[in-house]
Amino acid sequence: MGGVLGVLQVLKGEIRGGEDLEGARKKTRPREYDLYDVFCAVLYVVQGGIQWRMLPSDYPKWQSVYYYFRVWSEKDETGVSILDKVLQIEY
């Protein structure tokens, strides 16, 4: 199992990795956007090689997507980011 279905399962918490994405943000204010939409937008930018400001309006605001990208891209003590972990999960 992989692809979008696998990512959806990760974000719903059915597979280990979703907790990492959920817990990466340090604020307590309620989320404005669904993490699945943000994650799809990050994949769109990374895979498409487009500029952040060129993100289609179907996705959350580019500033919010970029914020989550930066949070998820921070390396931990082992040198691996949360985004790397989620994208390398084998199904």
Side-chain angles (χ1 to χ4, degrees), residues 3-11 17-18 21-22 33-47 52 55 59-60 64-66 68-69 72 82-89 91:
V4 175
L5 179 61
V7 170
L8 181 59
Q9 288 177 324
V10 166
L11 292 174
L21 292 176
E22 288 277 341
Y33 301 108
D34 184 18
L35 282 184
Y36 180 74
D37 294 335
V38 174
F39 189 75
C40 288
V42 168
L43 289 180
Y44 185 87
V45 171
V46 171
Q47 289 178 345
W52 290 103
L55 193 63
Y59 292 109
S64 297
V65 175
Y66 182 68
Y68 278 99
F69 173 77
W72 293 340
I82 294 170
L83 195 56
D84 290 338
K85 289 178 189 176
V86 171
L87 293 176
Q88 293 178 0
I89 291 177
Y91 303 100

Side-chain angles (χ1 to χ4, degrees), residues 69-85:
F69 173 77
R70 291 205 34 183
V71 170
W72 293 340
S73 295
E74 291 177 6
K75 307 278 187 206
D76 61 7
E77 60 277 350
T78 62
V80 180
S81 71
I82 294 170
L83 195 56
D84 290 338
K85 289 178 189 176

